[in-house]
Amino acid sequence: MAIELFNDGKHICLMFSDLADEEGESVQSNQFLIVENGNGILLDPGGVLTYNELYVGMSRYFPPKQLQYVFASHADPDIIASLPRWLSNSQTRLLISRVWSRFVPHFCPQGKTGQRIIDIPDEGTLLPFGDTTFQILPAHFLHAEGNLQFYDPTSRILFSGDMGASMVPPAQAISVVTNFNAHVRFMQGFHAHYMVANKVCRYWAAMVRELDPEWIVPQHGAPMKGREVIAQFLHWIESLDCGIDLMSRGMYVPPVSINIHL
């Protein structure tokens, strides 16, 4: 089911949080649709688990064949494994980091991606669309190299990809975070493991303070809204040791036992 994050009558931001629910076998993920003047941009549409429901949900706002852009924050399967279907059933073009643009054709049948990939440079870009000019932001190594985020200045929503993610069930992912201290336990392990280093977290937090978003909405878990909660999150993430900060020589040794169930 689609949740409206913003709707002023002309500009609508929708979040889908329960389309990849496979009874714990797949990671919960959010997909997003921005609709303006009868057309749209689909953000991080996911894999085959999400395609059918997204297609139906989109059709309530405009014919899906008219979808103009798919935006991919990076190239993980929970981000764009469904890309071949979107390319086959619409005239959409893919917005993705230049780092990943030559890997994308491996998702698709031969010949499907020709002239339909827009590769975004490392510094990001502005994206005019209808009455809005979106910002595609650099977010490298958070967690992927060639990582991008998408800022909508009309709704003041920062679609932050994996940054800000929380590992919660789909039913909890639709609840806006109001108590950051209670919520952080759902974020700690993910960010410590997936964010590459504290250095890039600090650079990112400084960039986000310049934007002053009303929302930070990640690709996994619950959205954060309001200056207080966002300020708490930014302070937390810029103080977090993560990724290579936590590595030691003792973590790089050859295994001596079987640690999996065969």
Side-chain angles (χ1 to χ4, degrees):
M1 183 180 75
I3 306 298
E4 283 192 358
L5 300 176
F6 181 87
N7 187 344
D8 66 2
K10 296 188 300 182
H11 188 97
I12 306 169
C13 298
L14 302 163
M15 170 178 163
F16 301 79
S17 65
D18 59 355
L19 305 187
D21 185 11
E22 287 288 295
E23 298 182 354
E25 291 187 8
S26 62
V27 65
Q28 185 276 335
S29 63
N30 302 319
Q31 299 77 43
F32 308 100
L33 177 64
I34 299 175
V35 181
E36 185 167 306
N37 298 324
N39 209 321
I41 302 175
L42 190 58
L43 310 181
D44 290 348
V48 295
L49 294 174
T50 64
Y51 176 80
N52 289 339
E53 291 293 334
L54 267 182
Y55 191 92
V56 171
M58 185 181 299
S59 67
R60 299 188 179 107
Y61 296 89
F62 59 87
K65 288 184 178 295
Q66 296 179 14
L67 177 67
Q68 190 159 344
Y69 296 116
V70 168
F71 168 79
S73 57
H74 54 291
D76 281 358
D78 61 315
I79 300 290
I80 53 164
S82 62
L83 181 64
R85 298 193 181 189
W86 293 110
L87 294 180
S88 296
N89 293 315
S90 72
Q91 297 303 309
T92 193
R93 300 176 73 191
L94 176 69
L95 299 157
I96 194 167
S97 167
R98 187 168 292 165
V99 170
W100 293 115
S101 61
R102 293 179 63 203
F103 292 82
V104 167
H106 287 275
F107 280 104
C108 302
Q110 188 171 4
K112 282 290 185 182
T113 57
Q115 307 302 311
R116 298 182 71 180
I117 299 174
I118 301 172
D119 56 340
I120 308 299
D122 284 349
E123 64 269 24
T125 188
L126 299 178
L127 179 69
F129 185 82
D131 297 327
T132 303
T133 298
F134 299 103
Q135 291 178 281
I136 297 180
L137 304 167
H140 308 303
F141 299 103
L142 300 170
H143 69 98
E145 62 274 27
N147 205 60
L148 299 171
Q149 296 175 351
F150 197 93
Y151 182 61
D152 176 357
T154 298
S155 64
R156 294 180 59 209
I157 297 174
L158 172 58
F159 296 95
S160 59
D162 283 310
M163 177 56 85
S166 52
M167 296 294 100
V168 298
Q172 190 173 335
I174 63 174
S175 300
V176 177
V177 175
T178 56
N179 184 334
F180 181 77
N181 291 331
H183 183 69
V184 73
R185 65 190 177 96
F186 300 113
M187 307 171 71
Q188 181 79 38
F190 181 90
H191 286 78
H193 191 86
Y194 280 90
M195 300 301 126
V196 169
N198 174 260
K199 178 180 180 178
V200 287
C201 292
R202 288 187 280 112
Y203 291 162
W204 178 83
M207 178 182 68
V208 173
R209 287 192 178 98
E210 291 182 26
L211 291 173
D212 190 28
E214 176 70 15
W215 295 76
I216 292 179
V217 183
Q219 193 242 343
H220 303 287
M224 292 175 276
K225 183 180 183 182
R227 285 189 170 178
E228 182 178 352
V229 167
I230 289 175
Q232 289 175 300
F233 170 65
L234 295 179
H235 176 73
W236 176 77
I237 195 63
E238 69 184 358
S239 306
L240 183 71
D241 286 335
C242 54
I244 61 174
D245 305 323
L246 304 176
M247 295 295 102
S248 66
R249 175 64 179 87
M251 300 179 74
Y252 293 85
V253 295
V256 294
S257 61
I258 298 172
N259 293 317
I260 58 174
H261 295 289
L262 300 173

